Amino acid sequence: MKIYAVKILDINEEELEDLCLFISPDKKLKINRYINKQDKIRTLIGEILIRSIIVEKLKIKNKNIVFGTNKYGKPYLKDYPLMNFNISHSSEFVVCVIDDKSIGIDIEKVKHIKYDDIAKNFFSLSEFEYIIGQTLDFQLSKFYEIWTLKESYIKCCGQGLSIPLQSFSINMNQSEKIKVVHNNKHNEHIFKIFDIQLGYKMAVCSLNKDISNNIITIDQNSLINNYSKLDLE
Ligand code: COA
Ligand code: MG
């Protein structure tokens, strides 16, 4: 398993267009449809990041990379069942995880939202109680931990929000490992929370035995430079 992070920098329109030349047509369409430039950049960098990783790890050409999506929209690499990946982006970050089994990642920028109402209405009762059981200073941060853990689980399973958020519960009691109970059944998934940067929460959910502690940080300009040097066509 490897976890990667890119801190987002601005890209000018011309470079953005050039970089869209050698990516999947549906990704290009998605990027074109975004109105917000930051959304375009985040999605583009996610695509370039996973393409660069695949080219390096599997020694295949960029043009031979074929992605599919399952019926809930989870992208996967066709013909390479041991190359599982998942991407998440929020504000200044794009993160990506690769593994030989199904994997999920979520990053969120912490915003001062009405977490108690959201947790009450959308999380399980025990998750809600866990959050409001914290001292006031910690509640927002714990809310985001649960949020990203839940999202990482949904993304690992690959079924999106077709999994009702209240049908499963993240159990993160003190010294014990973080676990998930789904429809009253304990699942095998393991989790890890990362404090990647102040003001962000990130979580990874895996079906393996271990989650790496290490985040490989890649500079956006180096990523783009190296990608541009590849045999793209
Ligand atoms: N399963 C796993 N990964 C998926 C996916 C799915 N069903 N559908 C898309 N993805 C991947 C894609 O690579 C996508 O990247 P792209 O937009 O550049 O193509 C990436 O996940 C987006 O992840 P993230 O940045 O974390 O987006 P999100 O948090 O807005 O949405 C979803 C994640 C789409 C998988 C889905 O769970 C969702 O719509 N969530 C809404 C948020 C919410 O209500 N969360 C409650 C959590 S408690
Ligand atoms: Mg997310």
Side-chain angles (χ1 to χ4, degrees):
M1 171 193 300
K2 288 212 155 53
I3 305 165
Y4 302 86
V6 181
K7 194 95 174 267
I8 294 302
L9 305 167
D10 194 26
I11 301 180
N12 66 46
E13 300 285 348
E14 202 188 325
E15 191 175 14
L16 223 147
E17 261 178 48
D18 287 351
L19 289 168
C20 281
L21 286 175
F22 304 106
I23 62 172
S24 322
D26 53 336
K27 235 336 127 55
K28 203 182 294 180
L29 212 65
K30 190 170 183 174
I31 292 169
N32 280 333
R33 282 198 190 125
Y34 280 128
I35 295 165
N36 182 314
K37 194 174 169 205
Q38 287 289 106
D39 284 327
K40 291 180 191 278
I41 297 172
R42 280 188 285 262
T43 294
L44 175 68
I45 293 300
E47 176 84 0
I48 290 179
L49 177 61
I50 188 59
R51 281 178 175 272
S52 302
I53 295 168
I54 292 168
V55 167
E56 188 205 316
K57 300 272 173 216
L58 301 178
K59 312 284 177 218
I60 60 173
K61 285 193 172 159
N62 181 62
K63 70 163 187 202
N64 294 331
I65 295 176
V66 185
F67 293 116
T69 48
N70 76 6
K71 67 173 178 177
Y72 305 99
K74 182 171 183 175
Y76 64 92
L77 180 63
K78 280 196 178 151
D79 306 325
Y80 294 90
L82 293 182
M83 180 59 154
N84 292 270
F85 70 90
N86 198 226
I87 293 170
S88 181
H89 31 74
S90 180
S91 193
E92 308 166 277
F93 278 103
V94 172
V95 291
C96 172
V97 60
I98 58 165
D99 202 6
D100 58 359
K101 290 191 179 155
S102 202
I103 187 92
I105 191 165
D106 189 53
I107 185 163
E108 300 291 337
K109 186 179 165 83
V110 174
K111 294 179 186 144
H112 291 272
I113 49 173
K114 290 197 109 203
Y115 60 85
D116 43 351
D117 286 350
I118 298 172
K120 192 168 188 180
N121 289 313
F122 298 105
F123 290 3
S124 74
L125 183 60
S126 69
E127 288 166 340
F128 170 67
E129 285 174 346
Y130 170 77
I131 294 163
I132 57 153
Q134 307 286 325
T135 52
L136 214 50
D137 291 3
F138 285 106
Q139 290 184 2
L140 183 66
S141 152
K142 292 294 168 190
F143 167 82
Y144 271 101
E145 287 183 0
I146 299 273
W147 173 294
T148 51
L149 288 163
K150 282 180 92 69
E151 186 86 37
S152 72
Y153 174 69
I154 284 178
K155 294 181 77 183
C156 182
C157 300
Q159 288 157 37
L161 292 173
S162 76
I163 301 179
L165 288 174
Q166 280 162 335
S167 69
F168 69 97
S169 191
I170 303 288
N171 192 330
M172 47 187 302
N173 277 330
Q174 294 94 34
S175 54
E176 278 181 57
K177 286 196 166 147
I178 304 168
K179 292 188 187 116
V180 60
V181 179
H182 195 162
N183 293 329
N184 298 317
K185 203 175 126 258
H186 283 270
N187 278 357
E188 295 299 300
H189 301 72
I190 61 161
F191 297 88
K192 195 169 270 181
I193 300 166
F194 293 83
D195 283 306
I196 184 167
Q197 185 180 295
L198 200 69
Y200 287 85
K201 282 287 174 192
M202 181 174 112
V204 172
C205 170
S206 160
L207 280 169
N208 261 324
K209 294 220 155 42
D210 235 348
I211 295 177
S212 164
N213 280 317
N214 186 35
I215 302 173
I216 302 164
T217 308
I218 302 181
D219 170 69
Q220 183 179 297
N221 288 327
S222 316
L223 175 74
I224 292 175
N225 276 339
N226 290 335
Y227 178 73
S228 307
K229 280 188 216 144
L230 294 176
D231 179 11
L232 293 170
E233 291 176 71

